[in-house]
Amino acid sequence: MRLGVLDVGSNTVHLLVVDAHRGGHPTPMTSEKDELRLAENLDASGALTKAGADKLVRTVAKAGAAATEAGCTDLLAFATSALRDATNSAAVLARVRDETGVGLQVLPGDDEARYTFLAVRRWYGWSAGRLLVLDIGGGSLELAAGRDEHPAVAASLPLGAGRLTREWFRSDPPSRREIDALRTHLDAELAPVARRMRRAGVPDLAVGTSKTFRSLARLTGAAPSSAGPRARRLLTDVGLRQLTAFITRMSAGDLAELEGVSPSRAHQLVAGALVAEAAMRALQITQLEICPWALREGVILRRLDTLEASTRPPSAQTDRSAQDAPDGLGRLTSYEARCTG
């Protein structure tokens, strides 16, 4: 079947179209991105502005039309941190549904961590042993750890690269005082979560996903995207510290000129590096392997699992994933996305 996944994040709205079947490797067919920076369109009360909502409606309508034109059987549409935080998210979601026909759902942070963990587990397989997974987004940081397909512990913290850039930096490049203050904040926020993660056991493999981790790994010498998704890419704590010392002295304009850095995300690279550095320090890990699969692939895989379960006899339709997660992403998956606001 052909599936469309519409991911409304803090920075971008991303439509991924894949061909997939039960037991098979999802094959990407098309990918479209629009830079909306929704998190920068929240007003002083925390509500998404009318201008931001207007842009969102237009972009979702465009993505829905593209999914239909691509022949998608289903469109799995969800939103993460920016709409999760918006105080008027329920009204915005209702407007999107009424004007575009797309039932956009807000994905809770812990579920975001679970979906991402599932994708990483399927990518590396059981031979990877106990996994620790980190994902830095624009608005939040997701962490998950465990031995199975669903993590023993999952958490989401408001430590996204874009959010921290807006809240902690006033100069470009950020001042030493701003950097030191953010480091202190990160250490305090990560300490209790790191203790929970460590109680899940020592990981056999620590993994980073997301554009932020890919950019940081590339800047420390990892293979470029042209090498393909199966090229092994690593980010070490030593390489990250050296990189951070370098980029904290650069303006966003200069960072945008670096290979592997998206111009639209260059302004938040320093905050992303500080989050990665603090997380590795708190979790006592010296190396992260970069996984090309993350949240969107996790949503697709769960959808395929749901299809497989529906073909079994009623007595065999017990989905173990339901034991540690909600029940469904809209009408399509086995996790329920709870709308906040």
Side-chain angles (χ1 to χ4, degrees):
M1 63 187 305
R2 180 159 289 184
L3 293 174
V5 179
L6 182 60
D7 177 359
V8 178
S10 297
N11 292 310
T12 61
V13 175
H14 187 170
L15 173 67
L16 174 66
V17 175
V18 302
D19 281 346
H21 60 88
R22 294 191 301 274
H25 185 289
T27 304
M29 302 304 295
T30 63
S31 178
E32 299 180 12
K33 294 182 183 180
D34 285 282
E35 298 281 347
L36 287 194
R37 296 190 182 182
L38 285 182
E40 298 178 13
N41 284 271
L42 299 179
D43 63 22
S45 70
L48 185 66
T49 63
K50 183 180 184 302
D54 289 345
K55 290 191 292 185
L56 177 61
V57 168
R58 290 194 298 270
T59 304
V60 171
K62 172 187 169 186
T68 299
E69 185 176 352
C72 292
T73 305
D74 282 323
L75 178 63
L76 302 95
F78 60 88
T80 55
S81 177
L83 280 179
R84 194 160 62 225
D85 294 342
T87 57
N88 61 338
S89 61
V92 172
L93 296 177
R95 182 184 167 194
V96 169
R97 182 177 60 251
D98 292 343
E99 297 187 25
T100 71
V102 175
L104 186 64
Q105 308 253 356
V106 171
L107 190 64
D110 288 359
D111 289 355
E112 192 175 337
R114 292 186 180 102
Y115 278 118
T116 302
F117 186 90
L118 173 63
V120 173
R121 169 59 73 193
R122 294 283 178 89
W123 180 267
Y124 289 106
W126 295 113
S127 63
R130 193 186 304 273
L131 291 174
L132 172 63
V133 178
L134 308 178
D135 187 323
I136 301 172
S140 60
L141 165 70
E142 276 67 50
L143 310 93
R147 293 187 304 180
D148 299 322
E149 287 213 325
H150 302 285
V153 56
S156 178
L157 298 175
L159 301 177
R163 181 197 300 271
L164 295 175
T165 299
R166 292 190 301 275
E167 293 179 352
W168 290 85
F169 295 161
R170 294 291 177 267
S171 53
D172 181 24
S175 69
R176 176 53 54 188
R177 178 175 295 181
E178 290 171 340
I179 290 170
D180 290 344
L182 179 53
R183 278 196 168 116
T184 300
H185 172 72
L186 290 170
D187 288 342
E189 292 294 305
L190 283 162
V193 176
R195 286 193 292 269
R196 288 175 55 203
M197 294 291 157
R198 288 198 297 270
R199 284 198 292 269
V202 178
D204 298 299
L205 180 65
V207 177
T209 73
S210 76
K211 177 64 174 177
T212 296
F213 275 122
R214 290 196 301 272
S215 295
L216 294 173
R218 179 71 188 103
L219 291 171
T220 59
S225 58
S226 59
R230 289 177 176 79
R232 191 181 185 210
R233 296 173 173 88
L234 299 176
L235 178 64
T236 67
D237 59 341
V238 173
L240 179 57
R241 285 196 300 270
Q242 293 173 342
L243 174 65
T244 303
F246 176 65
I247 64 175
T248 51
R249 299 192 296 268
M250 300 177 66
S251 69
D254 290 336
L255 291 172
E257 299 296 322
L258 298 177
E259 184 180 357
V261 177
S262 301
S264 62
R265 294 174 184 254
H267 67 291
Q268 62 187 46
L269 183 66
V270 170
L274 292 172
V275 175
E277 185 182 82
M280 294 180 74
R281 182 168 59 248
L283 294 162
Q284 300 174 5
I285 52 179
T286 60
Q287 177 176 287
L288 286 170
E289 188 149 335
I290 308 302
C291 180
W293 278 7
L295 176 59
R296 287 180 289 274
E297 287 77 13
V299 169
I300 293 166
L301 292 166
R302 178 50 60 221
R303 168 59 169 147
L304 297 177
D305 288 350
T306 304
L307 286 175
E308 183 177 10
S310 68
T311 64
R312 300 172 189 160
S315 61
Q317 289 186 19
T318 300
D319 183 355
R320 293 181 60 85
S321 68
Q323 298 175 8
D324 62 2
D327 297 329
L329 177 58
R331 63 186 180 87
L332 298 175
T333 77
S334 62
Y335 290 4
E336 180 178 357
R338 296 180 293 275
C339 174
T340 60

